[in-house]
Protein backbone atom coordinates (compact mmCIF):
# COMPACT_ATOMS: atom_id res chain seq x y z
CA UNK A 1 0.00 0.00 0.00
CA UNK A 2 2.78 2.42 0.89
CA UNK A 3 4.91 1.71 -2.18
CA UNK A 4 2.06 1.84 -4.71
CA UNK A 5 -0.52 4.27 -3.39
CA UNK A 6 0.40 6.26 -0.26
CA UNK A 7 1.47 9.89 -0.23
CA UNK A 8 4.31 10.83 2.11
CA UNK A 9 3.94 13.96 4.19
CA UNK A 10 6.80 16.44 3.94
CA UNK A 11 8.38 18.44 6.76
CA UNK A 12 8.44 22.24 6.73
CA UNK A 13 11.83 21.94 5.04
CA UNK A 14 10.36 19.79 2.27
CA UNK A 15 12.01 16.60 3.49
CA UNK A 16 10.23 13.24 3.81
CA UNK A 17 8.58 12.90 7.23
CA UNK A 18 7.95 9.16 7.28
CA UNK A 19 4.19 9.79 7.70
CA UNK A 20 2.06 8.26 4.97
CA UNK A 21 -1.49 9.17 3.98
CA UNK A 22 -4.08 8.16 1.42
CA UNK A 23 -6.32 10.64 -0.35
CA UNK A 24 -9.65 9.75 -1.94
CA UNK A 25 -8.18 9.11 -5.39
CA UNK A 26 -5.35 6.86 -4.20
CA UNK A 27 -7.75 5.01 -1.88
CA UNK A 28 -10.18 4.40 -4.73
CA UNK A 29 -7.38 3.06 -6.94
CA UNK A 30 -6.18 0.77 -4.15
CA UNK A 31 -9.76 -0.33 -3.46
CA UNK A 32 -10.21 -1.29 -7.10
CA UNK A 33 -7.13 -3.49 -6.92
CA UNK A 34 -8.14 -5.10 -3.62
CA UNK A 35 -11.70 -5.78 -4.76
CA UNK A 36 -10.39 -7.31 -7.98
CA UNK A 37 -7.83 -9.57 -6.32
CA UNK A 38 -9.76 -10.52 -3.16
CA UNK A 39 -13.40 -10.41 -4.27
CA UNK A 40 -13.05 -11.23 -7.96
CA UNK A 41 -14.78 -8.06 -9.14
CA UNK A 42 -13.84 -6.70 -12.55
CA UNK A 43 -15.09 -4.44 -15.31
CA UNK A 44 -18.59 -3.07 -14.98
CA UNK A 45 -19.28 -4.99 -11.76
CA UNK A 46 -16.23 -3.43 -10.11
CA UNK A 47 -17.16 0.06 -11.27
CA UNK A 48 -20.73 -0.32 -10.07
CA UNK A 49 -19.57 -1.65 -6.68
CA UNK A 50 -17.21 1.29 -6.20
CA UNK A 51 -19.85 3.79 -7.33
CA UNK A 52 -22.31 2.31 -4.85
CA UNK A 53 -20.16 1.80 -1.75
CA UNK A 54 -16.91 3.76 -1.95
CA UNK A 55 -18.25 7.18 -0.87
CA UNK A 56 -19.87 5.71 2.25
CA UNK A 57 -16.68 3.88 3.21
CA UNK A 58 -14.56 6.97 2.57
CA UNK A 59 -16.88 9.13 4.70
CA UNK A 60 -16.75 6.57 7.50
CA UNK A 61 -12.94 6.82 7.68
CA UNK A 62 -12.43 10.50 6.79
CA UNK A 63 -14.53 11.61 9.77
CA UNK A 64 -12.89 15.04 10.03
CA UNK A 65 -13.30 15.68 6.29
CA UNK A 66 -9.60 16.42 5.81
CA UNK A 67 -9.43 14.50 2.54
CA UNK A 68 -6.78 12.19 4.00
CA UNK A 69 -6.74 8.90 5.90
CA UNK A 70 -3.62 7.39 7.48
CA UNK A 71 -2.25 4.52 5.43
CA UNK A 72 -2.26 2.29 8.51
CA UNK A 73 -6.08 2.47 8.46
CA UNK A 74 -6.33 1.00 4.97
CA UNK A 75 -6.75 -2.66 6.02
CA UNK A 76 -9.78 -1.66 8.09
CA UNK A 77 -11.02 0.54 5.25
CA UNK A 78 -10.78 -2.31 2.74
CA UNK A 79 -12.58 -4.72 5.07
CA UNK A 80 -15.34 -2.16 5.64
CA UNK A 81 -15.67 -1.45 1.93
CA UNK A 82 -15.82 -5.12 1.01
CA UNK A 83 -18.17 -5.99 3.91
CA UNK A 84 -15.76 -8.77 4.88
CA UNK A 85 -14.27 -8.30 8.34
CA UNK A 86 -12.29 -11.53 8.05
CA UNK A 87 -10.63 -10.81 4.71
CA UNK A 88 -6.89 -11.48 4.79
CA UNK A 89 -4.96 -8.59 3.25
CA UNK A 90 -1.51 -10.04 2.85
CA UNK A 91 0.46 -10.41 -0.39
Amino acid sequence: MIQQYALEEKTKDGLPSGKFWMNEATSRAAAAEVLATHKGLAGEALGKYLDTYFAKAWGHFDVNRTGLVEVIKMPQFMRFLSSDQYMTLQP
Side-chain angles (χ1 to χ4, degrees):
M1 194 66 59
I2 289 174
Q3 290 178 343
Q4 296 294 324
Y5 298 105
L7 308 168
E8 186 171 9
E9 185 178 315
K10 304 288 185 209
T11 65
K12 291 179 183 179
D13 299 326
L15 300 172
S17 69
K19 297 178 184 176
F20 294 90
W21 301 86
M22 300 283 284
N23 65 20
E24 192 169 349
T26 59
S27 297
R28 189 177 177 99
E33 181 180 334
V34 168
L35 291 169
T37 59
H38 290 73
K39 297 304 238 180
L41 294 174
E44 189 177 322
L46 175 59
K48 186 173 181 178
Y49 191 94
L50 286 169
D51 290 344
T52 303
Y53 300 109
F54 183 83
K56 180 181 179 184
W58 181 256
H60 184 79
F61 281 82
D62 184 19
V63 294
N64 294 323
R65 306 294 184 246
T66 61
L68 297 170
V69 173
E70 293 173 288
V71 74
I72 61 171
K73 302 275 197 271
M74 283 297 113
Q76 296 94 323
F77 176 87
M78 296 301 168
R79 288 185 187 102
F80 184 89
L81 176 64
S82 66
S83 295
D84 185 351
Q85 299 306 307
Y86 299 103
M87 182 169 59
T88 301
L89 296 169
Q90 296 179 3

